[in-house]
Amino acid sequence: MTHPLNRTLLLLDIEKFSDRDDVEQTYLRRMLYDVVERVLQSAGIDQTLHLRADRGDGVLVMIDANASLPLLLRVLLTEAPAQLREVNRMASSAAQIRLRAVVATGFVTVDAIDGWVGTDLNQACRLLDADTLRAALREGNSDIALCVSESVHAGIVRHDHQGIPADAFHPITVQSKNGPLKAWLHGPVPTGASTTPPAPDPAPARQPDRAPAEGGGAVEFHGTNSGVVAGQINGPMIQGGVINGGVTFHGNPGDGR
């Protein structure tokens, strides 16, 4: 029986990959894996501490929870942009490589056929595919746009570790088929992106109670009536009589005036 494993998740995806021809895609994939290898090495994450899954236009890395998450974030914020800038400086326009990146934490189960399963993994993938992250890369000056999950922000980013400036991350809300996901984007939030979850739909207005029909029903109040029954009663009150065809009062209606 397999059990969920606590892991750090690093997801990377190449911008506009499907717009390239086969030769260009082959080159971009090679550049992507070079960048991933350098990032992992710089973060001290060797072959024994991670697994990789190929996504065609990207890569998913599942990293042992004992590896340093602050060091990984620091490398993604400093060394990775420098590596991409160096690669793109000598590349043609068709061979430029720009990346969306997500760092998340959570529990993942590796099944009998080496498949990876878990809600935390699903949510990380949705962050990677979010329009907000795509727009951040498109509008930004860097060749990499980084988003971290709520758990990564709470555990690491908000503590303002060296090389991981907390004020450089901004809250965003990503819409998904399972509801809104909160996350944190490094750098400016793109125009039109949601930073707060949508407000819940207002409760439907309560319909006023319908007045009883003439002569219909009889609700009796026994005892002394002080002039207020379930709120305010306007108009004459008749002892032992009927108001609006169906409300009978017993007692002294004048008490408490």
Side-chain angles (χ1 to χ4, degrees), residues 208-232:
D209 296 334
R210 296 176 59 184
E214 182 70 21
V219 180
E220 295 188 356
F221 295 89
H222 298 276
T224 299
N225 182 353
S226 63
V228 177
V229 178
Q232 182 177 357

Side-chain angles (χ1 to χ4, degrees), residues 6-75:
N6 187 15
R7 292 291 183 262
T8 295
L9 302 171
L10 169 62
L11 294 78
L12 295 162
D13 194 274
I14 301 172
E15 182 187 45
K16 297 180 179 180
F17 184 78
S18 60
D19 293 346
R20 323 296 177 93
D21 62 33
D22 291 352
V23 174
E24 292 163 349
Q25 289 184 4
T26 300
Y27 170 80
L28 291 174
R29 281 175 51 81
R30 186 167 66 249
M31 293 300 100
L32 170 63
Y33 273 86
D34 284 347
V35 170
V36 171
E37 189 63 36
R38 293 177 187 176
V39 165
L40 295 176
Q41 287 181 357
S42 297
I45 303 170
D46 61 30
Q47 296 290 336
T48 66
L49 293 176
H50 75 274
L51 297 173
R52 300 183 194 179
D54 188 83
R55 288 170 50 93
D57 57 352
V59 63
L60 168 58
V61 186
M62 187 164 63
I63 303 169
D64 192 284
N66 291 319
S68 173
L69 182 49
L71 183 53
L72 174 62
L73 288 172
R74 194 175 304 126
V75 170

Side-chain angles (χ1 to χ4, degrees), residues 73 76-78 81 101 133 136-137 142 144-148 157 163-172 183-190:
L73 288 172
L76 288 170
L77 292 174
T78 57
L133 188 58
L137 180 58
S142 177
I144 184 170
L146 173 65
C147 175
V148 301
V157 174
I164 311 172
D167 59 2
F169 287 80
H170 302 93
I172 60 173
W184 292 77
L185 178 70
H186 179 259
V189 177

